Amino acid sequence: MKTHQATHRFGWRKLFLFLVLIAAGAWPAQAADKKKIIVGFSQIGAESGWRTANTESIKSEAARRGLELKFADAQQKQENQIKALRSFIAQGVDVIAFSPVVVTGWEPVLREIKKAGIPVVLSDRAVDVTDDSLYVTFIGSDFVEEGRRAAVWLAKAADGKAVIAELVGTPGSAPAIDRKKGFEEVMAKHPGMKIAKSQSGDFTRAKGKEVMESFLKSPDAKQINALFAHNDDMALGAIQAMDEAGVKPGKDILIVSIDGVRGAFEAMAAGKLNCTVECNPLIGPQLFDAVEAIMAKKKLPKRTAVEEGVYEMSQAAAELPKRKY
Ligand code: AHR
């Protein structure tokens, strides 16, 4: 009796349609469509506050969308990234994304990925390749423009006259090359500005401190009145070195850096950093929009830029509570 009522409620027409779908094989096909997208992501490492925020954005967005993320941390080494990319091929992921530590040396592994038919998304940093069909799209900041913005700010603040110490990012990396290029492009219009010292601090706070200490010990240290750091972490390390050497950061030496991490806003609020040019690490949503578009066979632009601003000391207190990284 119960069975009869249930069958009646379900409706004979629906039951018939259901049986037809099973017979036509449409049911398993629909289920197969819902298969989880698997993305292999090779991250550079955890060298800066920016990178930590970038990793968090990628992991949380993948989880929010229910995608499977195979995440590999390369600890700053290109060879580790290449190994991770090869392992993603072996695992047969749907899409490979990575943030290349340096710009050169990727062509062979990218060709292997192409041969395996796996689409590639470049995240945060670009690569130098002769064949741009080796990746589908690049999502990241305009590092040249960030360098220009830093120089424009400094030229104005120092009235076109500055003896600059430069803390360069990882040698051979896109942000180090491009930020320097953009900065020097603007400097060329200000003959009173010159870079007196320039050395890599590898985008880390510890190395930034170490290099600034050596700058401050050099015989011509007293002439330095400005610092351009390619990222906030190196600037924060340099501020520590200045504090310890009895030099007033933000006053004796004007400081401009790039990223806009919370620590930079705190240093600005404390009067020790003058300006940070934003480089937005929260690109997880844009990255996975691209992944899903690729899976849906949609066409993507070769380059997607990220929106960013410039913040001065005077804005720090109001901005600080709003910062998400
Ligand atoms: O590629 C982005 C840069 O890499 C950020 O400016 C820096 O902090 C990071 O390490």
Side-chain angles (χ1 to χ4, degrees):
M1 182 64 180
K2 264 189 174 169
T3 314
H4 172 77
Q5 277 174 350
T7 311
H8 188 74
R9 270 203 309 272
F10 187 72
W12 285 109
R13 284 177 63 177
K14 280 185 189 156
L15 180 62
F16 178 69
L17 189 66
F18 179 66
L19 292 172
V20 168
L21 281 171
I22 289 178
W27 204 262
Q30 259 184 12
D33 277 352
K34 289 211 167 136
K35 158 183 147 354
K36 259 194 183 182
I37 299 172
I38 306 175
V39 181
F41 188 90
S42 164
Q43 180 62 289
I44 292 172
E47 74 281 8
S48 60
W50 188 100
R51 188 67 52 199
T52 307
N54 180 246
T55 294
E56 166 54 24
S57 169
I58 290 162
K59 286 187 175 171
S60 61
E61 189 61 20
R64 199 185 67 77
R65 295 187 190 214
L67 308 179
E68 186 177 336
L69 181 68
K70 294 186 183 293
F71 184 90
D73 178 334
Q75 305 192 342
Q76 250 50 50
K77 293 200 175 84
Q78 183 176 33
E79 67 205 71
N80 290 347
Q81 287 204 287
I82 293 174
K83 261 188 223 153
L85 299 183
R86 291 203 170 116
S87 98
F88 295 149
I89 303 176
Q91 293 173 72
V93 301
D94 297 305
V95 177
I96 289 178
F98 74 113
S99 194
V101 61
V102 289
V103 287
T104 55
W106 299 102
E107 227 159 306
V109 71
L110 286 175
R111 261 192 242 111
E112 289 169 40
I113 299 173
K114 188 175 178 187
K115 204 164 155 213
I118 303 173
V120 170
V121 178
L122 299 177
S123 171
D124 157 40
R125 298 184 183 180
V127 293
D128 218 350
V129 285
T130 47
D131 172 6
D132 76 355
S133 76
L134 292 174
Y135 64 89
V136 180
T137 187
F138 162 49
I139 299 161
S141 306
D142 183 341
F143 297 136
V144 179
E145 179 56 23
E146 290 170 353
R148 284 189 202 114
R149 288 177 180 178
V152 165
W153 179 84
L154 186 59
K156 194 163 171 231
D159 207 12
K161 289 180 277 300
V163 179
I164 306 160
E166 180 186 28
L167 285 170
V168 180
T170 303
S173 69
I177 297 167
D178 292 350
R179 286 171 183 167
K180 188 173 182 57
K181 186 174 165 206
F183 192 85
E184 288 180 351
E185 189 185 299
V186 173
M187 261 190 55
K189 298 179 197 148
H190 299 275
M193 285 169 77
K194 67 163 188 173
I195 295 180
K197 310 229 166 277
S198 178
Q199 203 176 313
S200 171
D202 219 6
F203 282 131
T204 69
R205 197 179 286 217
K207 207 67 200 303
K209 180 172 188 262
E210 191 186 306
V211 176
M212 192 68 217
E213 277 166 357
S214 77
F215 286 168
L216 292 173
K217 280 184 194 141
S218 66
D220 52 349
K222 289 239 155 23
Q223 292 171 18
I224 300 170
N225 61 3
L227 172 70
F228 168 42
H230 285 199
N231 82 343
D232 289 340
D233 277 69
M234 291 189 294
L236 294 171
I239 288 171
Q240 252 180 289
M242 291 181 211
D243 279 338
E244 288 170 16
V247 173
K248 288 195 194 76
K251 293 185 183 72
D252 297 337
I253 298 183
L254 290 178
I255 309 174
V256 56
S257 60
I258 298 176
D259 275 357
V261 297
R262 185 178 299 280
F265 279 84
E266 285 164 355
M268 286 199 292
K272 295 186 175 197
L273 178 79
N274 303 86
C275 177
T276 184
V277 174
E278 190 177 40
C279 176
N280 184 2
L282 308 179
I283 55 180
Q286 280 174 290
L287 172 64
F288 292 109
D289 278 352
V291 166
E292 288 180 344
I294 290 169
M295 295 307 287
K297 309 241 174 304
K298 290 188 189 148
K299 185 126 182 63
L300 284 170
K302 209 69 198 170
R303 169 92 170 86
T304 305
V306 183
E307 292 254 311
E308 289 149 350
V310 176
Y311 299 92
E312 294 190 323
M313 212 183 244
S314 58
Q315 298 164 282
E319 261 312 301
L320 199 46
K322 297 186 231 156
R323 295 310 290 172
K324 293 202 181 75
Y325 61 96

